[in-house]
Amino acid sequence: AAALSGLTDELQRRWNPNCNVEGGRDVQVRVTFVIGAGGQVVGDVASQIKGTQTPVSRTAAERAVSAVYAAAPFRNLPREFYGDKIAVNFNAREACS
């Protein structure tokens, strides 16, 4: 759990949602991805916007996906996570505070 918490914190730091536009603080995005041996992302990172799809939420989702790719390789994750689908929730209200 600590390893996933650290991973989530790292991705949140890299996310950079646009907090200064209308609706920017209300965005919630869930990304799912698989980490292979060596900590690389395997396949595509999928994003799902919670709530209404707007240009702001779509941009935030794109930034969440970019954060995952930018943080790879994930070298500090225990090997038992390799090959598993990992889901991370991004919450702009937390990121913008």
Side-chain angles (χ1 to χ4, degrees):
L4 279 182
S5 178
L7 170 76
T8 300
D9 291 346
E10 171 73 14
L11 295 178
Q12 288 275 8
R13 277 194 300 279
R14 292 176 181 266
W15 180 29
N16 191 27
N18 192 342
C19 301
N20 299 320
V21 298
E22 186 175 335
R25 292 176 174 269
D26 301 322
V27 175
Q28 293 183 43
V29 177
R30 179 181 181 90
V31 294
T32 53
F33 56 98
V34 175
I35 296 175
Q40 294 293 346
V41 174
V42 176
D44 292 330
V45 177
S47 65
Q48 178 183 4
I49 298 166
K50 296 181 180 177
T52 308
Q53 296 222 7
T54 65
V56 171
S57 65
R58 284 191 288 276
T59 299
E62 289 170 11
R63 290 180 177 189
V65 169
S66 294
V68 173
Y69 286 118
F74 300 98
R75 300 204 192 280
N76 297 329
L77 270 188
R79 290 192 182 278
E80 64 254 26
F81 291 107
Y82 292 176
D84 287 350
K85 183 177 279 190
I86 296 178
V88 176
N89 293 311
F90 291 85
N91 184 330
R93 195 167 301 285
E94 292 172 9
C96 295
S97 61

Coordinates of all heavy atoms in Angstrom, one line a residue:
A1 N 0.8 -1.2 0.0 CA 0.0 0.0 0.0 C 0.9 1.3 0.0 O 0.5 2.2 -0.7 CB -0.9 0.0 1.2
A2 N 2.0 1.2 0.7 CA 2.9 2.4 0.8 C 3.5 2.7 -0.6 O 3.6 3.8 -1.0 CB 3.9 2.2 1.8
A3 N 3.8 1.6 -1.3 CA 4.4 1.8 -2.6 C 3.4 2.4 -3.6 O 3.7 3.3 -4.3 CB 4.9 0.4 -3.2
L4 N 2.1 2.0 -3.5 CA 1.1 2.6 -4.4 C 0.8 4.0 -4.0 O 0.6 4.9 -4.8 CB -0.2 1.8 -4.4 CG -0.2 0.5 -5.3 CD1 -1.5 -0.2 -5.2 CD2 0.2 0.9 -6.7
S5 N 0.8 4.3 -2.7 CA 0.6 5.7 -2.2 C 1.7 6.6 -2.7 O 1.5 7.7 -3.2 CB 0.6 5.7 -0.7 OG 0.4 7.0 -0.2
G6 N 3.0 6.1 -2.7 CA 4.1 6.9 -3.2 C 4.0 7.1 -4.7 O 4.2 8.2 -5.2
L7 N 3.5 6.1 -5.4 CA 3.3 6.2 -6.9 C 2.2 7.3 -7.2 O 2.4 8.1 -8.0 CB 2.9 4.9 -7.4 CG 2.4 4.9 -8.9 CD1 3.5 5.0 -9.8 CD2 1.6 3.6 -9.2
T8 N 1.1 7.2 -6.4 CA 0.0 8.1 -6.6 C 0.5 9.6 -6.3 O 0.2 10.5 -7.1 CB -1.2 7.8 -5.7 OG1 -1.6 6.5 -6.0 CG2 -2.3 8.8 -5.8
D9 N 1.2 9.7 -5.2 CA 1.8 11.1 -4.9 C 2.7 11.6 -6.0 O 2.6 12.8 -6.4 CB 2.5 11.0 -3.6 CG 1.7 10.8 -2.4 OD1 0.4 10.9 -2.5 OD2 2.2 10.5 -1.3
E10 N 3.5 10.7 -6.6 CA 4.4 11.2 -7.6 C 3.6 11.6 -8.9 O 3.9 12.6 -9.5 CB 5.3 10.0 -8.0 CG 6.2 10.2 -9.2 CD 7.3 11.2 -9.1 OE1 7.6 11.6 -7.9 OE2 7.8 11.7 -10.1
L11 N 2.6 10.8 -9.2 CA 1.8 11.2 -10.4 C 1.0 12.5 -10.2 O 0.9 13.3 -11.1 CB 0.8 10.0 -10.7 CG 1.5 8.7 -11.2 CD1 0.5 7.7 -11.5 CD2 2.4 9.0 -12.4
Q12 N 0.5 12.6 -9.0 CA -0.3 13.9 -8.6 C 0.7 15.1 -8.8 O 0.2 16.1 -9.3 CB -0.8 13.8 -7.2 CG -2.0 12.9 -7.0 CD -3.3 13.5 -7.3 OE1 -3.4 14.6 -7.9 NE2 -4.4 12.8 -7.1
R13 N 1.9 15.0 -8.3 CA 2.9 16.1 -8.5 C 3.1 16.4 -9.9 O 3.3 17.6 -10.3 CB 4.2 15.7 -7.8 CG 4.2 16.0 -6.3 CD 5.6 16.0 -5.7 NE 6.3 14.7 -5.9 CZ 6.1 13.6 -5.2 NH1 5.3 13.6 -4.2 NH2 6.8 12.5 -5.4
R14 N 3.1 15.4 -10.8 CA 3.4 15.6 -12.2 C 2.2 16.0 -13.0 O 2.3 16.4 -14.2 CB 4.0 14.3 -12.8 CG 5.4 14.0 -12.3 CD 5.8 12.7 -12.9 NE 7.2 12.3 -12.4 CZ 8.3 12.6 -13.0 NH1 8.3 13.2 -14.2 NH2 9.4 12.2 -12.5
W15 N 1.0 15.9 -12.4 CA -0.2 16.1 -13.2 C -0.4 17.5 -13.7 O -0.7 17.7 -14.9 CB -1.4 15.7 -12.3 CG -2.7 15.8 -13.0 CD1 -3.0 15.7 -14.3 CD2 -4.0 16.0 -12.3 NE1 -4.4 15.8 -14.5 CE2 -5.0 16.0 -13.3 CE3 -4.4 16.2 -11.0 CZ2 -6.3 16.2 -13.0 CZ3 -5.7 16.4 -10.7 CH2 -6.7 16.4 -11.7
N16 N -0.4 18.5 -12.8 CA -0.5 19.9 -13.2 C -1.9 20.2 -13.9 O -1.9 20.7 -15.1 CB 0.6 20.3 -14.2 CG 0.7 21.8 -14.4 OD1 0.3 22.6 -13.6 ND2 1.3 22.1 -15.5
P17 N -3.0 20.0 -13.2 CA -4.3 20.4 -13.8 C -4.4 22.0 -13.8 O -3.6 22.6 -13.1 CB -5.3 19.9 -12.8 CG -4.6 19.9 -11.5 CD -3.1 19.6 -11.8
N18 N -5.3 22.5 -14.7 CA -5.4 23.9 -14.8 C -6.4 24.4 -13.7 O -7.6 24.3 -13.9 CB -5.9 24.3 -16.2 CG -5.7 25.8 -16.4 OD1 -5.6 26.6 -15.4 ND2 -5.7 26.2 -17.6
C19 N -5.9 24.8 -12.6 CA -6.7 25.2 -11.4 C -7.4 26.6 -11.6 O -8.3 26.9 -10.9 CB -5.9 25.2 -10.2 SG -5.1 23.7 -9.8
N20 N -6.9 27.4 -12.6 CA -7.3 28.8 -12.7 C -8.4 29.0 -13.7 O -8.8 30.1 -14.0 CB -6.1 29.6 -13.0 CG -5.1 29.6 -11.9 OD1 -5.4 29.5 -10.7 ND2 -3.8 29.5 -12.3
V21 N -9.0 27.9 -14.3 CA -10.1 28.1 -15.2 C -11.4 27.6 -14.6 O -11.3 26.8 -13.7 CB -9.8 27.3 -16.6 CG1 -8.6 27.9 -17.3 CG2 -9.7 25.9 -16.3
E22 N -12.5 28.1 -15.1 CA -13.8 27.7 -14.6 C -13.9 26.2 -14.7 O -13.8 25.6 -15.7 CB -14.9 28.4 -15.3 CG -16.3 28.2 -14.7 CD -17.3 29.0 -15.4 OE1 -17.0 30.0 -16.0 OE2 -18.5 28.5 -15.3
G23 N -14.3 25.6 -13.6 CA -14.4 24.1 -13.5 C -13.2 23.3 -13.4 O -13.2 22.1 -13.2
G24 N -12.0 24.0 -13.4 CA -10.8 23.3 -13.3 C -10.5 22.6 -12.0 O -9.9 21.5 -12.0
R25 N -11.1 23.1 -10.9 CA -10.9 22.5 -9.6 C -11.9 21.3 -9.4 O -11.7 20.6 -8.4 CB -11.1 23.5 -8.5 CG -10.0 24.6 -8.4 CD -10.3 25.6 -7.4 NE -9.2 26.6 -7.3 CZ -8.2 26.4 -6.4 NH1 -8.2 25.3 -5.6 NH2 -7.2 27.3 -6.4
D26 N -12.8 21.2 -10.2 CA -13.8 20.1 -10.1 C -13.5 18.8 -10.8 O -14.3 17.9 -10.7 CB -15.2 20.6 -10.5 CG -15.6 21.9 -9.7 OD1 -15.4 21.9 -8.5 OD2 -16.2 22.8 -10.3
V27 N -12.4 18.8 -11.6 CA -12.1 17.7 -12.4 C -11.6 16.5 -11.6 O -10.8 16.6 -10.7 CB -11.0 18.1 -13.4 CG1 -10.6 16.9 -14.3 CG2 -11.5 19.2 -14.3
Q28 N -12.2 15.3 -12.0 CA -11.7 14.1 -11.4 C -11.4 13.1 -12.6 O -12.3 12.9 -13.4 CB -12.7 13.5 -10.4 CG -12.9 14.3 -9.2 CD -13.8 13.6 -8.2 OE1 -13.8 12.4 -8.0 NE2 -14.7 14.4 -7.6
V29 N -10.3 12.5 -12.6 CA -9.9 11.6 -13.7 C -9.3 10.3 -13.0 O -8.6 10.4 -12.1 CB -8.8 12.3 -14.6 CG1 -8.3 11.3 -15.6 CG2 -9.3 13.6 -15.2
R30 N -9.6 9.2 -13.6 CA -9.1 7.9 -13.2 C -8.3 7.4 -14.4 O -8.8 7.3 -15.5 CB -10.2 7.0 -12.8 CG -9.7 5.6 -12.4 CD -11.0 4.7 -12.1 NE -10.6 3.4 -11.7 CZ -10.4 3.1 -10.4 NH1 -10.5 4.0 -9.4 NH2 -10.1 1.8 -10.1
V31 N -7.0 7.1 -14.1 CA -6.2 6.5 -15.2 C -5.9 5.0 -14.8 O -5.8 4.7 -13.6 CB -4.9 7.2 -15.4 CG1 -5.2 8.6 -16.0 CG2 -4.0 7.3 -14.2
T32 N -5.8 4.2 -15.8 CA -5.4 2.8 -15.6 C -4.3 2.4 -16.5 O -4.3 2.9 -17.7 CB -6.6 1.8 -15.8 OG1 -7.2 2.0 -17.0 CG2 -7.7 2.0 -14.7
F33 N -3.4 1.6 -16.0 CA -2.2 1.3 -16.9 C -1.6 0.0 -16.3 O -1.9 -0.4 -15.1 CB -1.2 2.4 -16.9 CG -0.7 2.9 -15.6 CD1 0.5 2.5 -15.1 CD2 -1.5 3.9 -14.9 CE1 0.9 3.0 -13.9 CE2 -1.0 4.3 -13.7 CZ 0.2 3.9 -13.2
V34 N -0.7 -0.6 -17.0 CA 0.0 -1.8 -16.6 C 1.5 -1.5 -16.6 O 2.0 -0.9 -17.6 CB -0.3 -3.0 -17.6 CG1 0.5 -4.2 -17.2 CG2 -1.8 -3.3 -17.5
I35 N 2.2 -1.9 -15.6 CA 3.6 -1.8 -15.5 C 4.3 -3.1 -15.7 O 3.9 -4.1 -15.1 CB 4.0 -1.2 -14.1 CG1 3.4 0.2 -13.9 CG2 5.5 -1.2 -14.0 CD1 3.6 0.7 -12.5
G36 N 5.2 -3.1 -16.7 CA 5.9 -4.3 -17.0 C 7.2 -4.4 -16.2 O 7.6 -3.6 -15.5
A37 N 8.0 -5.5 -16.5 CA 9.3 -5.7 -15.9 C 10.2 -4.5 -16.2 O 10.1 -4.0 -17.3 CB 9.9 -7.0 -16.4
G38 N 10.9 -4.1 -15.2 CA 11.7 -2.9 -15.4 C 11.0 -1.6 -15.1 O 11.6 -0.5 -15.2
G39 N 9.7 -1.7 -14.8 CA 9.0 -0.5 -14.4 C 8.4 0.3 -15.6 O 7.9 1.4 -15.4
Q40 N 8.5 -0.2 -16.8 CA 8.0 0.6 -18.0 C 6.5 0.4 -18.1 O 5.9 -0.6 -17.7 CB 8.6 0.1 -19.2 CG 10.1 0.4 -19.3 CD 10.4 1.9 -19.4 OE1 9.6 2.7 -19.7 NE2 11.7 2.2 -19.2
V41 N 5.8 1.4 -18.7 CA 4.4 1.3 -19.0 C 4.2 0.3 -20.2 O 4.9 0.5 -21.2 CB 3.8 2.7 -19.3 CG1 2.3 2.5 -19.7 CG2 3.9 3.6 -18.1
V42 N 3.3 -0.6 -20.0 CA 3.1 -1.6 -21.1 C 1.7 -1.2 -21.7 O 0.7 -1.1 -21.0 CB 3.0 -3.0 -20.6 CG1 2.6 -4.0 -21.7 CG2 4.3 -3.4 -19.9
G43 N 1.7 -1.0 -23.0 CA 0.5 -0.7 -23.7 C 0.1 0.8 -23.5 O 0.9 1.6 -23.2
D44 N -1.2 1.1 -23.6 CA -1.7 2.4 -23.5 C -2.1 2.7 -22.1 O -2.6 1.8 -21.3 CB -2.8 2.7 -24.4 CG -2.4 2.7 -25.9 OD1 -1.2 3.0 -26.2 OD2 -3.2 2.3 -26.7
V45 N -2.1 4.0 -21.7 CA -2.7 4.5 -20.4 C -4.1 4.9 -20.8 O -4.3 5.8 -21.7 CB -1.8 5.6 -19.9 CG1 -2.5 6.2 -18.6 CG2 -0.4 5.2 -19.6
A46 N -5.1 4.4 -20.1 CA -6.5 4.8 -20.3 C -6.9 5.8 -19.3 O -6.5 5.7 -18.1 CB -7.3 3.5 -20.3
S47 N -7.7 6.7 -19.7 CA -8.3 7.7 -18.8 C -9.8 7.7 -18.8 O -10.4 7.4 -19.9 CB -7.7 9.1 -19.1 OG -8.2 9.5 -20.3
Q48 N -10.4 8.0 -17.7 CA -11.8 8.1 -17.6 C -12.1 9.3 -16.8 O -11.7 9.5 -15.6 CB -12.3 6.8 -16.9 CG -13.8 6.8 -16.6 CD -14.3 5.6 -15.9 OE1 -13.5 4.8 -15.5 NE2 -15.6 5.5 -15.7
I49 N -12.9 10.2 -17.4 CA -13.3 11.4 -16.7 C -14.6 11.1 -15.9 O -15.5 10.6 -16.4 CB -13.6 12.5 -17.7 CG1 -12.3 12.8 -18.5 CG2 -14.2 13.8 -17.0 CD1 -12.5 13.7 -19.7
K50 N -14.5 11.5 -14.6 CA -15.7 11.4 -13.8 C -16.5 12.7 -13.9 O -16.0 13.7 -13.7 CB -15.3 11.1 -12.3 CG -14.6 9.8 -12.2 CD -14.2 9.6 -10.7 CE -13.5 8.2 -10.6 NZ -13.0 8.0 -9.3
G51 N -17.8 12.5 -14.3 CA -18.6 13.7 -14.4 C -18.7 14.1 -15.9 O -18.4 13.4 -16.8
T52 N -19.0 15.4 -16.1 CA -19.2 15.9 -17.4 C -17.9 16.1 -18.2 O -16.9 16.6 -17.6 CB -19.9 17.3 -17.3 OG1 -21.1 17.2 -16.5 CG2 -20.3 17.9 -18.6
Q53 N -18.0 15.7 -19.4 CA -16.8 15.9 -20.3 C -16.9 17.3 -20.9 O -17.8 17.7 -21.5 CB -16.8 14.9 -21.4 CG -16.7 13.5 -20.9 CD -15.7 12.7 -21.8 OE1 -15.1 13.2 -22.7 NE2 -15.6 11.4 -21.5
T54 N -15.8 18.1 -20.5 CA -15.7 19.5 -21.0 C -14.3 19.6 -21.6 O -13.4 18.7 -21.4 CB -15.9 20.5 -19.9 OG1 -14.8 20.3 -18.9 CG2 -17.2 20.3 -19.1
P55 N -14.0 20.7 -22.3 CA -12.6 20.9 -22.8 C -11.7 20.9 -21.6 O -10.5 20.4 -21.7 CB -12.7 22.2 -23.5 CG -14.1 22.3 -24.0 CD -14.9 21.7 -22.9
V56 N -12.1 21.4 -20.5 CA -11.2 21.5 -19.3 C -10.9 20.1 -18.8 O -9.8 19.7 -18.5 CB -11.8 22.4 -18.2 CG1 -11.0 22.3 -16.9 CG2 -11.8 23.8 -18.7
S57 N -12.0 19.3 -18.7 CA -11.8 17.9 -18.1 C -11.0 17.0 -19.1 O -10.2 16.2 -18.7 CB -13.1 17.3 -17.7 OG -13.9 17.1 -18.9
R58 N -11.2 17.2 -20.4 CA -10.5 16.4 -21.4 C -9.0 16.8 -21.3 O -8.1 15.9 -21.4 CB -11.0 16.6 -22.8 CG -12.3 15.8 -23.0 CD -12.8 15.8 -24.4 NE -13.3 17.1 -24.9 CZ -14.5 17.5 -24.8 NH1 -15.4 16.8 -24.1 NH2 -14.9 18.7 -25.2
T59 N -8.7 18.1 -21.2 CA -7.3 18.5 -21.1 C -6.7 17.9 -19.8 O -5.5 17.5 -19.8 CB -7.2 20.0 -21.1 OG1 -7.7 20.5 -22.4 CG2 -5.7 20.5 -21.0
A60 N -7.4 18.0 -18.7 CA -6.9 17.4 -17.5 C -6.6 15.9 -17.6 O -5.6 15.4 -17.1 CB -7.9 17.7 -16.3
A61 N -7.5 15.2 -18.3 CA -7.3 13.8 -18.6 C -6.0 13.5 -19.4 O -5.2 12.6 -19.1 CB -8.5 13.2 -19.2
E62 N -5.8 14.3 -20.4 CA -4.6 14.2 -21.2 C -3.4 14.5 -20.4 O -2.4 13.8 -20.5 CB -4.6 15.2 -22.4 CG -5.7 14.9 -23.4 CD -5.8 16.0 -24.5 OE1 -5.0 17.0 -24.5 OE2 -6.8 15.9 -25.2
R63 N -3.4 15.4 -19.5 CA -2.3 15.7 -18.6 C -2.1 14.6 -17.6 O -0.9 14.3 -17.2 CB -2.5 17.0 -17.8 CG -2.4 18.2 -18.7 CD -2.7 19.5 -18.0 NE -2.5 20.7 -18.8 CZ -2.5 21.9 -18.3 NH1 -2.7 22.2 -17.0 NH2 -2.4 22.9 -19.2
A64 N -3.1 13.9 -17.2 CA -3.0 12.8 -16.3 C -2.3 11.6 -17.0 O -1.4 11.0 -16.4 CB -4.3 12.3 -15.7
V65 N -2.6 11.4 -18.2 CA -2.0 10.3 -19.0 C -0.5 10.7 -19.2 O 0.4 9.9 -19.0 CB -2.7 10.1 -20.4 CG1 -1.9 9.2 -21.3 CG2 -4.1 9.5 -20.1
S66 N -0.2 11.9 -19.5 CA 1.1 12.4 -19.7 C 2.0 12.3 -18.4 O 3.1 11.9 -18.5 CB 1.2 13.9 -20.2 OG 0.6 14.0 -21.4
A67 N 1.3 12.5 -17.3 CA 2.0 12.3 -16.0 C 2.5 10.9 -15.8 O 3.6 10.7 -15.3 CB 1.1 12.8 -14.9
V68 N 1.7 9.9 -16.2 CA 2.1 8.5 -16.1 C 3.3 8.2 -16.9 O 4.3 7.7 -16.5 CB 0.9 7.6 -16.4 CG1 1.4 6.1 -16.4 CG2 -0.3 7.8 -15.5
Y69 N 3.2 8.7 -18.2 CA 4.4 8.4 -19.1 C 5.6 9.1 -18.6 O 6.7 8.6 -18.7 CB 4.1 8.8 -20.5 CG 3.1 7.9 -21.2 CD1 1.9 8.3 -21.7 CD2 3.5 6.5 -21.4 CE1 1.0 7.4 -22.3 CE2 2.6 5.7 -22.1 CZ 1.4 6.1 -22.5 OH 0.5 5.3 -23.2
A70 N 5.5 10.3 -18.1 CA 6.6 11.1 -17.6 C 7.3 10.5 -16.4 O 8.5 10.6 -16.2 CB 6.2 12.6 -17.3
A71 N 6.5 9.8 -15.6 CA 7.0 9.3 -14.3 C 7.7 7.9 -14.6 O 8.5 7.5 -13.7 CB 5.9 9.1 -13.3
A72 N 7.4 7.3 -15.7 CA 8.0 6.0 -16.0 C 9.5 6.1 -16.3 O 9.9 7.2 -16.8 CB 7.3 5.3 -17.1
P73 N 10.4 5.2 -16.0 CA 10.0 3.9 -15.4 C 9.8 4.0 -13.9 O 10.5 4.8 -13.2 CB 11.3 3.0 -15.7 CG 12.4 4.0 -15.8 CD 11.8 5.3 -16.3
F74 N 8.9 3.1 -13.4 CA 8.6 3.1 -12.0 C 9.5 2.1 -11.3 O 9.2 0.9 -11.2 CB 7.1 2.7 -11.8 CG 6.2 3.7 -12.4 CD1 5.7 3.4 -13.7 CD2 5.9 4.8 -11.8 CE1 4.8 4.3 -14.3 CE2 5.0 5.7 -12.4 CZ 4.5 5.5 -13.6
R75 N 10.7 2.5 -10.9 CA 11.7 1.6 -10.4 C 11.5 1.3 -8.9 O 12.1 0.3 -8.4 CB 13.1 2.2 -10.6 CG 13.4 2.5 -12.0 CD 14.9 2.6 -12.2 NE 15.2 3.1 -13.5 CZ 15.2 2.4 -14.7 NH1 14.8 1.2 -14.7 NH2 15.6 3.0 -15.8
N76 N 10.7 2.0 -8.2 CA 10.6 1.8 -6.7 C 9.4 0.9 -6.4 O 9.1 0.8 -5.2 CB 10.5 3.2 -6.0 CG 11.7 4.0 -6.2 OD1 12.8 3.4 -6.3 ND2 11.6 5.3 -6.2
L77 N 8.7 0.4 -7.4 CA 7.6 -0.5 -7.1 C 8.0 -1.9 -6.9 O 8.9 -2.4 -7.6 CB 6.6 -0.5 -8.3 CG 5.5 0.6 -8.3 CD1 4.5 0.3 -9.4 CD2 4.7 0.7 -7.0
P78 N 7.5 -2.6 -5.9 CA 7.8 -4.0 -5.7 C 7.4 -4.8 -6.9 O 6.4 -4.5 -7.6 CB 6.9 -4.4 -4.5 CG 6.6 -3.1 -3.8 CD 6.6 -2.1 -4.9
R79 N 8.1 -5.9 -7.2 CA 7.9 -6.7 -8.4 C 6.5 -7.3 -8.5 O 6.0 -7.5 -9.6 CB 8.9 -7.8 -8.4 CG 10.3 -7.4 -8.7 CD 11.2 -8.5 -9.0 NE 12.6 -8.1 -9.2 CZ 13.0 -7.6 -10.3 NH1 12.2 -7.5 -11.4 NH2 14.3 -7.2 -10.4
E80 N 5.8 -7.4 -7.4 CA 4.5 -8.0 -7.4 C 3.5 -7.2 -8.2 O 2.4 -7.6 -8.6 CB 3.9 -8.4 -6.0 CG 3.7 -7.2 -5.1 CD 4.8 -7.1 -4.0 OE1 5.9 -7.6 -4.2 OE2 4.4 -6.5 -3.0
F81 N 3.8 -5.9 -8.4 CA 2.9 -5.0 -9.2 C 3.2 -5.1 -10.7 O 2.3 -4.7 -11.4 CB 3.1 -3.5 -8.7 CG 2.6 -3.3 -7.3 CD1 3.5 -3.1 -6.3 CD2 1.2 -3.2 -7.1 CE1 3.0 -2.8 -5.0 CE2 0.8 -3.0 -5.8 CZ 1.7 -2.8 -4.8
Y82 N 4.3 -5.7 -11.1 CA 4.6 -5.9 -12.5 C 3.5 -6.7 -13.1 O 3.2 -7.8 -12.6 CB 5.9 -6.5 -12.7 CG 7.1 -5.6 -12.3 CD1 8.4 -6.0 -12.4 CD2 6.9 -4.3 -11.9 CE1 9.5 -5.2 -12.1 CE2 8.0 -3.4 -11.5 CZ 9.2 -3.9 -11.6 OH 10.3 -3.1 -11.3
G83 N 2.9 -6.3 -14.2 CA 1.9 -7.1 -14.9 C 0.5 -6.8 -14.4 O -0.5 -7.2 -15.1
D84 N 0.3 -6.1 -13.3 CA -1.0 -5.8 -12.8 C -1.5 -4.5 -13.4 O -0.7 -3.6 -13.6 CB -1.0 -5.7 -11.2 CG -0.8 -7.0 -10.5 OD1 -0.9 -8.0 -11.2 OD2 -0.6 -6.9 -9.3
K85 N -2.8 -4.4 -13.5 CA -3.4 -3.2 -13.9 C -3.5 -2.3 -12.7 O -4.0 -2.7 -11.6 CB -4.8 -3.4 -14.5 CG -5.5 -2.1 -15.0 CD -6.8 -2.3 -15.6 CE -6.7 -2.8 -17.0 NZ -7.9 -2.8 -17.7
I86 N -3.0 -1.1 -12.8 CA -3.0 -0.1 -11.7 C -3.9 1.0 -12.0 O -3.9 1.5 -13.2 CB -1.5 0.4 -11.4 CG1 -0.7 -0.8 -11.0 CG2 -1.5 1.5 -10.5 CD1 0.8 -0.5 -10.8
A87 N -4.7 1.4 -11.1 CA -5.6 2.5 -11.2 C -5.3 3.6 -10.3 O -5.0 3.4 -9.1 CB -7.1 2.1 -11.0
V88 N -5.2 4.9 -10.8 CA -4.9 6.0 -9.9 C -6.0 7.1 -10.2 O -6.3 7.4 -11.3 CB -3.5 6.6 -10.3 CG1 -3.2 7.9 -9.5 CG2 -2.4 5.5 -10.0
N89 N -6.5 7.6 -9.1 CA -7.5 8.7 -9.2 C -6.8 10.0 -9.0 O -6.1 10.2 -8.1 CB -8.6 8.5 -8.1 CG -9.4 7.3 -8.4 OD1 -9.9 7.0 -9.5 ND2 -9.5 6.4 -7.3
F90 N -7.1 10.9 -9.9 CA -6.6 12.3 -9.9 C -7.8 13.2 -9.5 O -8.8 13.2 -10.1 CB -6.1 12.8 -11.2 CG -4.8 12.1 -11.7 CD1 -4.9 10.8 -12.3 CD2 -3.6 12.7 -11.4 CE1 -3.7 10.2 -12.7 CE2 -2.4 12.1 -11.8 CZ -2.5 10.8 -12.5
N91 N -7.6 14.0 -8.5 CA -8.6 14.9 -8.0 C -8.1 16.3 -8.0 O -7.2 16.6 -7.2 CB -9.0 14.5 -6.5 CG -10.2 15.3 -6.0 OD1 -10.4 16.4 -6.3 ND2 -11.0 14.7 -5.1
A92 N -8.6 17.2 -8.8 CA -8.1 18.5 -9.0 C -8.3 19.3 -7.7 O -7.5 20.2 -7.4 CB -8.8 19.2 -10.2
R93 N -9.4 19.1 -7.0 CA -9.6 19.8 -5.7 C -8.4 19.7 -4.8 O -8.0 20.6 -4.2 CB -10.9 19.4 -5.1 CG -11.4 20.4 -4.0 CD -12.8 20.1 -3.6 NE -13.8 20.2 -4.7 CZ -14.3 21.3 -5.2 NH1 -13.8 22.4 -4.9 NH2 -15.2 21.2 -6.2
E94 N -7.9 18.4 -4.7 CA -6.7 18.2 -3.8 C -5.5 18.8 -4.5 O -4.6 19.4 -3.8 CB -6.5 16.7 -3.7 CG -7.6 16.0 -2.8 CD -7.4 14.5 -2.8 OE1 -6.4 14.0 -3.3 OE2 -8.4 13.8 -2.4
A95 N -5.3 18.6 -5.8 CA -4.1 19.1 -6.5 C -4.0 20.6 -6.5 O -2.9 21.2 -6.5 CB -4.0 18.5 -7.9
C96 N -5.2 21.3 -6.5 CA -5.2 22.7 -6.6 C -5.1 23.4 -5.2 O -5.1 24.7 -5.2 CB -6.4 23.2 -7.3 SG -6.5 22.7 -9.1
S97 N -5.2 22.7 -4.1 CA -5.2 23.3 -2.8 C -3.9 23.8 -2.4 O -2.9 23.4 -2.9 CB -5.8 22.4 -1.8 OG -5.0 21.2 -1.7

